[in-house]
Structure formats: C-alpha cells, structure tokens
Amino acid sequence: MASVHPPLSPRPARPGFLLLALVLLPAASAWAQSGDPSFRVVNNSLKVVNEVYASPVSAPGWGHDRLGADVVPPGGRQLIRLPGGDCLYDVRVVYQQGGAEERRGLDACGLADLVLGGGGAAARNAPQGNPSFNLVNRGERAIGEVYAFPVSAQGWGPERLGEGNLVQPGQSVPVQLPRGECLYNLRWVWLGGKVEERRNLNACGATNVVVR
C-alpha cells in the first residue's frame, strides 16, 4: 500500500499529548475480559485511516503497519489483533489525506474501541448507566486536580478530588459521578501545572482509567 507521508521517525521519550478520542466499552468484550490487548479502530472522522501502528510502551519503535493492505474508511471499523502479554501500548494512526495522531500508554487490555473523530455519533449512541470509575496514576508525579463532565454539558464542572487531596504515583482513587450519561470528558492536572485531557470516554465501561 502506497504511503503518502515521510518515513516514521523513532518515538521520542516524552512526547506531547495529542488528542485522540477514546471510548472504553464494557468489559463484556471478549478480549477485554481475557487480558488480550486487541482492540477495534472505529473511524468517526472524515478521513480514511491508512495505517495503524501499535507497539508495547517498552518497545523502541513503532513496528509494522497493523492494517497491512487494508484501510478504514469514514464510518468504518477494523479489529487490530495484538499478541497477549503486554497491556500498555502506544498507538499511532496515519490518515490517507495526511496527518497523524498518537496515543501513549493505553491500557489496551481494558480497551474495546479506539474511536477517532468527533464525539457526535458516539454521543448519540452512548449508553446510560453508572459512569463512576477509579483513576489510576501510573505517572511519575502526583495529580492535584481532576475534572470530569458529560460531553453534552458546557465547561468542566467541579474539581473531583477535593481541596488539598492528591493522587500519588501508583495510587488509585474513586471518581464518583452521577448515574445517567456515560460519555465524559476527563481532565487532570499534574503537580507542576501540566494539564492533560481525555475526550469522549465511555465511563460506564471504564472500571479503571489509567493515566501516565
């Protein structure tokens, strides 16, 4: 399959955060239950996905294109099969019309669908239920603030940890959310001021949300 972009360069050690819509579906998924890191790419963007790379975070490079001769058209989906053993993966998606997106440190064993594009279609089809989850800090610094708000709402809403509370490295804390909508936007602030976000999270299917 012809590629329309320059050759991949080695992955930097500490990349910047790039937005990639992420939906964690219920653990009823066979591979999520079995510890299999395989997942589906769901293309809700307006671009054709030309290549998908997925490699364990411990690997030095991206490896081979997991789509092979296939592409994922707008509105399409494709299963990305990965070998068992590792759960933490880095993923890179390359679009046929140019441009790429990356997501680092995915807990792929708990991931059913990796959704690309805006949240409109996902929001319309989102289930209702209990969106509460455990936030797991696998980073090197403490988290000082956490915000979680439905994608249908405006703004980020209240800070969820409470004044003076921290999520230390290696610690897990419950984030209690009201029953109802499942699709949430998540924002967390590391000590030192760095802010990261995860959009279109299906919180009703995410028992643990891992950040690093």
Side-chain angles (χ1 to χ4, degrees), residues 9-158:
S9 58
R11 288 183 289 170
R14 298 188 63 82
F17 179 80
L18 296 177
L19 290 179
L20 188 62
L22 171 65
V23 174
L24 297 178
L25 293 185
S29 160
W31 53 86
Q33 287 181 335
S34 66
D36 186 342
S38 302
F39 59 88
R40 284 183 301 257
V41 169
V42 179
N43 187 6
N44 284 350
S45 77
L46 300 177
K47 299 179 179 181
V48 175
V49 174
N50 210 41
E51 302 168 24
V52 175
Y53 299 87
S55 62
V57 296
S58 58
W62 284 109
H64 64 280
D65 172 22
R66 302 283 178 172
L67 290 181
D70 295 328
V71 298
V72 188
R77 58 183 62 203
Q78 178 72 38
L79 178 61
I80 305 298
R81 294 196 177 277
L82 300 172
D86 291 300
C87 283
L88 286 179
Y89 269 78
D90 294 334
V91 176
R92 177 179 174 88
V93 174
V94 180
Y95 293 103
Q96 194 172 81
Q97 294 87 338
E101 297 187 61
E102 295 177 9
R103 187 70 179 97
R104 303 288 181 140
L106 286 179
D107 186 0
C109 293
L111 173 66
D113 281 12
L114 186 66
V115 179
L116 310 176
R124 287 194 296 272
N125 298 323
Q128 298 285 304
N130 181 6
S132 298
F133 58 87
N134 297 316
L135 183 71
V136 182
N137 181 1
R138 289 188 180 164
E140 298 178 352
R141 290 171 291 172
I143 297 171
E145 300 174 30
V146 174
Y147 301 86
F149 216 56
V151 297
S152 62
Q154 296 293 325
W156 285 102

